[in-house]
Structure formats: structure tokens, C-alpha cells
Amino acid sequence: MTVRVVSLLPSATEIVTKVILAQGPGPTVQLVGKSHECDYGPTSLAGLPILTAARTKFTTSADVDEQVRTSLAAGESLYSVDRDLLRSLKPDVVLTQSLCKVCSVDFRTVQAAVAEMQPPPILVDLSPQNLWEVLDDLTRVGAAVGDPAAAAAAVAELRERIAAVRSKLAERRVQQGTQSPSVLMAEWTDPIFVGGHWTPQLVHMAGGSHVLNPGNDEGGAGKSYACPFADVAQADPDWLIVAPCGLDIPTTKREMAPLVAQPGWTSLKAVKKGQVVIVDGNQMFNRSGPRLVDALEFLYSLLWNEPQAMPAGFPYEMWSDARQA
């Protein structure tokens, strides 16, 4: 029997794909539908039916922030689900989330969409707060689709890569001492949103210190929140990593303008040191899926100047005010 799966968020699509790829010959899991944001994975995913759509339109960071605040204040969902298409696909399992109403279609909207389906699909709520819970989500998806062994193999591979980073960091600590470079992850630029949940944890696991909303190896931090530039200036991190939610590198470059225009920008330690980094936030850090391990490896390589540890093709660029002028 083939288990038919619909994924309504990008991280879930990457999780179930990881499970499918870990299976033996003759996959028993079939992804039959996806969200409008699911843009990473095998080419076979490209033609899958798209079940969601965003009600906001990106213009500028400040305008999107206003669109989101207005919609949420009115009790409106930021996303729609094509209920007729969902019913026609007859999924056995639907992967969704309840962590963030801004990032992807929320759990209650999905609940309403499947309420009258017969037989009702299994709803799996993937809402991790930290990296370890992301690994747990792989296990939960494996159980839901009937292949816990494939999920266990995928989790084991990711844990091995995490252990390798920890081992290299321990060696670095012996050689260079225990001082940690300070880091600020920004998930939006106007207003500035400080990284939350698993992001500060990844910084800590890579040997850094997240100066606002700190995390630790075992647990994530609080949720992302807006902060004034004065807080960034006071924290004055060694590294500023800008990975806006849902934005690619070219768009992020344009959206750096509000940050660069802030009084005191050129006085930041990270700017003076040339340690401002922009990352494709649409692909990395914002998605609570297997590629968070790539993000961990990236952070370790960056913070400790170890190029050989950099994941191949990781989407980032060093920012320079002069080069962008």
C-alpha cells in the first residue's frame, strides 16, 4: 500500500522527502500535493499540485510587516487552502504546523479544510522549537507514513553530522580557548526581527553567543521579536547575519537599505570588521527541516574561519556597504 501525503509547509516537504530517500527500493510513500512555498527537493516535486496561496504580496519589508499586522489584528489568515483540490487528492496524511501564523498556513485553517473529508486524513502538526525537536519531527513523520526505519536512518545521518560539528568545536576550544564570537541573527530588516527558536541554538552549538534572545545546546530560544536598532547597537555583535524569512539574496540586498540607513550603522563592530553576512532566508534558517544541519555547519565554518567545513553551495554573501553603493 502506498501512503499518500500532502505537505502544506516547505520544511515538512523536505522532511518527508528525506524519509522517502532513506527508504529501500519501491517507495511506499508518495507526496501528492504541496504548498506554494515548497521549492526545494527532487525535480519530481516540481509538477505537484499546489494547495496554498499567500494573501499578502511582497513589496518592501516595512509594507509586508504592516500587511501582516493588519490581517492578524482582523483575525484573518494570511494563507488560503484549496479545499476542493485537497479533497480530490485523497491524502492519507497531511503535514502542517501551528508554530507561526505568519510563516505558513496554520493548523486551524487546515483542520477546517479537512473537517468534512471521508475518510479523514491523519493531521501531523510539525511545530518544533529547537533542532532536537526537528529531528523528533522526522521520527513522527516516519511513524505517520508507516516507515519508522527510514526515518531512523535519516535521523542517524543528521545526528552524525551534528556530532562532527561538536567534535571540531571541542578541538577549537582546546586550541583557542573558550571565548565565543558574538552573533546577531536578523530574520527581518524593517522592522528588525531578532532570530528565535532554533536559530540562537544553532549559533550556540556552532560556538557563538547570540547576543539577543540567547539559546543553548539543548533548547531553543523564545520566538522571534521586533527590536529597535538601538538594541542592536548596544549589543554590538562581532557578526551580523541577515536571513529574512522568505527572501532570497537579491531581495535581501535591496532590503538592507533600511538597516544601512540607521544612524550608528557604520559604528557597529560587525560593519567595521566586514563581518556582515546575508543568507538566503527563504532556503536556510527559517525552515525547520533537515537543512538546519547545513545551517549549523555554515555557522561553524563562518565563525571559526574553517572554509573546508562550509556546506557545498550554501547560499550566502558577505555584505559590504562600499561594494553595494
Side-chain angles (χ1 to χ4, degrees), residues 20 37 48 109 113 120 157 169 280 316 324:
I20 291 172
E37 298 171 306
L48 288 179
T109 299
E157 183 263 330
L169 178 60
D280 185 336
Y316 82 102
Q324 303 301 326

Side-chain angles (χ1 to χ4, degrees), residues 5-21 29-46 48-52 94-97 104 124 126 137-138 141 145 283 287-291:
V5 180
V6 161
S7 170
L8 297 180
L9 67 158
S11 58
T13 297
E14 296 183 28
I15 286 173
V16 75
T17 299
K18 188 92 173 165
V19 172
I20 291 172
L21 293 176
V29 180
Q30 182 183 7
L31 191 60
V32 297
K34 64 180 183 178
S35 81
H36 66 288
E37 298 171 306
C38 298
D39 56 4
Y40 178 83
T43 55
S44 60
L45 301 182
L48 288 179
I50 296 173
L51 292 117
T52 64
V94 176
L95 306 178
T96 183
Q97 62 90 38
S104 294
V124 183
L126 304 178
D137 278 351
L138 268 86
V141 170
V145 302
Q283 297 295 325
R287 298 184 181 186
S288 52
R291 287 192 293 165

Side-chain angles (χ1 to χ4, degrees), residues 58 61 188 244-249 251-252 255 279-283:
F58 185 82
S61 296
W188 205 247
C245 186
L247 303 189
D248 58 17
I249 286 179
T251 308
T252 301
E255 294 307 307
V279 174
D280 185 336
N282 182 51
Q283 297 295 325

Side-chain angles (χ1 to χ4, degrees), residues 231-264:
D231 289 1
V232 177
Q234 184 174 8
D236 200 16
D238 296 311
W239 291 88
L240 175 59
I241 302 175
V242 183
C245 186
L247 303 189
D248 58 17
I249 286 179
T251 308
T252 301
K253 286 181 176 180
R254 294 197 298 271
E255 294 307 307
M256 286 292 290
L259 269 181
V260 174
Q262 291 283 352

Side-chain angles (χ1 to χ4, degrees), residues 16-311:
V16 75
T17 299
K18 188 92 173 165
V19 172
I20 291 172
L21 293 176
Q23 291 185 313
T28 58
V29 180
Q30 182 183 7
L31 191 60
V32 297
K34 64 180 183 178
S35 81
H36 66 288
E37 298 171 306
C38 298
D39 56 4
Y40 178 83
T43 55
S44 60
L45 301 182
L48 288 179
I50 296 173
L51 292 117
T52 64
R55 291 193 167 112
T56 57
K57 181 180 180 181
F58 185 82
T59 49
T60 65
S61 296
D63 181 58
V64 168
D65 181 69
E66 181 60 30
Q67 290 181 55
V68 168
R69 291 179 187 277
T70 300
S71 294
L72 293 181
E76 299 171 351
S77 174
L78 300 176
Y79 301 92
S80 61
V81 177
D82 188 330
R83 298 187 180 195
D84 292 337
L85 179 56
L86 181 59
R87 281 194 294 270
S88 73
L89 292 173
K90 299 180 179 179
D92 301 300
V93 176
V94 176
L95 306 178
T96 183
Q97 62 90 38
S98 61
L99 183 67
C100 178
K101 293 181 179 179
V102 177
C103 303
S104 294
V105 62
D106 61 278
F107 190 78
R108 289 186 177 180
T109 299
V110 179
Q111 273 187 316
V114 304
E116 298 178 0
M117 291 177 64
Q118 292 297 329
I122 298 170
L123 287 185
V124 183
D125 180 2
L126 304 178
S127 299
Q129 302 279 332
N130 58 64
L131 179 59
W132 306 120
E133 291 181 2
V134 172
L135 300 186
D136 291 342
D137 278 351
L138 268 86
T139 301
R140 293 174 60 228
V141 170
V145 302
D147 199 338
V155 169
E157 183 263 330
L158 294 171
R159 286 189 179 276
E160 185 175 337
R161 289 169 58 192
I162 294 168
V165 171
R166 285 179 146 179
S167 177
K168 286 185 284 192
L169 178 60
E171 293 176 8
R172 283 280 184 173
R173 295 295 197 198
V174 171
Q175 297 167 3
Q176 300 182 15
T178 59
Q179 186 171 359
S180 298
S182 58
V183 180
L184 177 62
M185 297 285 305
E187 294 186 2
W188 205 247
T189 59
D190 190 13
I192 301 165
F193 269 78
V194 176
H197 295 311
W198 51 82
T199 302
Q201 177 193 23
L202 293 176
V203 170
H204 192 274
M205 291 175 70
S209 171
H210 200 257
V211 291
L212 298 174
N213 202 18
N216 56 64
D217 277 16
E218 299 308 319
K223 67 179 182 179
S224 177
Y225 64 88
C227 79
F229 183 78
D231 289 1
V232 177
Q234 184 174 8
D236 200 16
D238 296 311
W239 291 88
L240 175 59
I241 302 175
V242 183
C245 186
L247 303 189
D248 58 17
I249 286 179
T251 308
T252 301
K253 286 181 176 180
R254 294 197 298 271
E255 294 307 307
M256 286 292 290
L259 269 181
V260 174
Q262 291 283 352
W265 167 260
T266 56
S267 298
L268 289 179
K269 195 186 308 179
V271 176
K272 290 179 180 178
K273 289 183 173 182
Q275 294 181 169
V276 178
V277 186
I278 58 174
V279 174
D280 185 336
N282 182 51
Q283 297 295 325
M284 299 295 178
F285 287 107
N286 307 143
R287 298 184 181 186
S288 52
R291 287 192 293 165
L292 286 184
V293 178
D294 294 53
L296 172 63
E297 293 167 338
F298 158 76
L299 286 169
Y300 171 79
S301 172
L302 183 76
L303 299 181
W304 299 98
N305 191 26
E306 198 168 309
Q308 65 272 26
M310 181 68 66

